[in-house]
Amino acid sequence: MRSAACGVHPTVTTATSGSTAATSGSGPAPGYRLSVLDRSRIRQGQPPAQALRDTVAFAQQAERFGYHRFWVSEHHGVPGVAGSAPTVLAAAVAAATSRIRVGTGGVMLPNHRPMVVAEQFGVLASLFPGRIDMGLGRSVGFTDGVRRALGQGKDAADHFAEQLTELLGYFDATRSAPEVHARPAEGLAVPAFVLATGAGADIAAEAGLPLVIGGVRGEEAMLAAVDRYRERFRPSARAAAPYVVVSGTVAVAGTAVAARELLVPEAWSSAWSRTHGEFPPLAPAAEILARTMSPRERTAYEQALDGHIAGTPPEAAARLAALMERTGADEFLVTTSTYDRTALLDSYRLLAAELGLAGRPT
């Protein structure tokens, strides 16, 4: 078991439930926080605008279910994702909710000037004090054309550490150009998180910031990165001790088969992107299961189905608890997407109810 370090997250909010469905059959609250990352996935046959409206409505439900925070993502030029402006979308989410923390998972810092990012979060934190999180990533555009349009090259991520230092400097007045002020960010305490796979964990440790990490390269690689982060962590004014957020998919339904089916649309979308170079909108599971796949597509699809948590509420809760035990993480960020929006909301509701989230301090 990896040892967890709790108590380093600045502002804590309490989410209470407005839904009796969220509380029925609830057990003891877990010893970790549970949060949501929504990628504003476009569904086949629907316009991108609907995906954005669904994200806002989803955040309202996540608040009722008792989740700790709700984050939105940044993608550019991707046919299957509508969320291209996370700070704009975060503003809409924060305006439609009242208690849940709201943030980005994340703003891809290499795509932006740090001063502009500081100003955007300064505005958000000023409008919604005590509720805004600043999740920051180091990814660049998905294709060469998108990177050119953003004015970046493949090596832009190599400068993430310097950009991060500059960005944080606008908040705490340690920037290299003291005559430049990012108002209204200056002086505001906006929690910052580093989204990482490998090298990003070292950057988070050096900066003394919370780490958000998933198992995209396999669990062992993730565990090694988490261990390295804890070993190299340097306490800072923003975090006195390491804080680890593990992200991943958790699909919950009344039966294990139904839960597994929730994984199908995202798995196929991922497989299609790997075999055809384009990440498409989510399609219905039944349509995907009826397809004849090429051997290459089938291999990519089956690989995309692996490594997730899926099952009935007790099964999913047990597997999640085991993962949290192995990582020693302080928080889990649920990133589940699927075509059937009703089933998706049910999955999050069932997980929250099983873990006793609603009405409990987070």
Side-chain angles (χ1 to χ4, degrees):
M1 170 187 171
R2 268 72 175 173
S3 60
C6 299
V8 301
H9 183 69
T11 305
V12 176
T13 59
T14 299
T16 57
S17 173
S19 168
T20 56
T23 59
S24 61
S26 61
Y32 52 87
R33 293 178 174 129
L34 200 64
S35 299
V36 178
L37 168 64
D38 186 53
R39 294 189 174 89
S40 302
R41 294 288 276 114
I42 300 170
R43 292 171 172 83
Q44 185 174 287
Q46 296 181 357
Q50 185 61 50
L52 298 174
R53 289 191 288 267
D54 286 346
T55 289
V56 175
F58 180 16
Q60 293 173 318
Q61 292 298 315
E63 181 173 76
R64 294 178 67 201
F65 298 158
Y67 286 88
H68 179 57
R69 65 180 100 244
F70 189 97
W71 283 3
V72 295
S73 64
E74 174 181 337
H75 296 272
H76 297 283
V78 180
V81 183
S84 57
T87 54
V88 177
L89 185 53
V93 168
T97 55
S98 60
R99 299 177 304 274
I100 195 168
R101 296 193 65 85
V102 177
T104 57
V107 166
M108 297 299 115
L109 201 49
N111 295 334
H112 309 279
R113 295 303 308 164
M115 181 179 179
V116 175
V117 175
E119 291 171 336
Q120 291 172 345
F121 278 98
V123 170
L124 282 171
S126 298
L127 292 173
F128 309 100
R131 293 182 59 209
I132 300 300
D133 297 324
M134 184 167 58
L136 306 163
R138 59 194 292 267
S139 296
V140 292
F142 189 63
T143 65
D144 289 338
V146 169
R147 286 190 290 270
R148 283 195 299 271
L150 292 170
Q152 300 296 340
K154 284 185 177 181
D155 62 347
D158 296 340
H159 306 290
F160 176 72
E162 293 90 340
Q163 289 183 304
L164 180 63
T165 299
E166 180 183 347
L167 170 63
L168 299 179
Y170 285 116
F171 287 91
D172 57 25
T174 59
R175 61 202 170 279
S176 57
E179 74 281 3
V180 179
H181 300 269
R183 297 187 175 94
E186 192 168 277
L188 296 181
V190 181
F193 298 73
V194 173
L195 280 65
T197 49
D202 298 328
I203 294 171
E206 178 76 18
L209 294 177
L211 171 71
V212 183
I213 189 166
V216 293
R217 297 181 179 176
E219 185 173 307
E220 284 307 310
M222 177 182 70
L223 293 175
V226 168
D227 282 345
R228 194 169 66 250
Y229 163 74
R230 290 197 176 106
E231 291 167 1
R232 301 181 181 183
F233 184 85
R234 293 186 176 184
S236 70
R238 293 175 177 271
Y243 189 91
V244 176
V245 183
V246 170
S247 66
T249 297
V250 183
V252 187
T255 68
V257 172
R260 180 79 169 174
E261 191 169 291
L262 290 176
L263 303 176
V264 168
E266 187 73 32
W268 173 247
S269 188
S270 175
W272 186 266
S273 72
R274 290 178 59 188
T275 55
H276 297 269
E278 183 176 277
F279 203 75
L282 297 174
E287 177 183 312
I288 295 166
L289 293 172
R291 290 182 178 179
T292 300
M293 301 183 191
S294 69
R296 186 162 172 254
E297 290 172 342
R298 174 65 64 180
T299 297
Y301 168 70
E302 290 178 350
Q303 289 175 343
L305 284 172
D306 289 338
H308 308 297
I309 294 174
T312 63
E315 292 168 345
R319 289 187 61 192
L320 180 55
L323 174 61
M324 298 303 281
E325 176 77 11
R326 292 194 300 274
T327 62
D330 304 279
E331 185 171 343
F332 191 86
L333 188 66
V334 187
T335 63
T336 311
S337 297
T338 196
Y339 176 84
D340 187 330
R341 186 168 179 271
T342 298
L344 177 68
L345 292 177
D346 280 346
S347 177
Y348 278 89
R349 176 182 60 80
L350 290 169
L351 181 62
E354 183 67 25
L355 295 178
L357 296 188
R360 297 177 185 269
T362 58

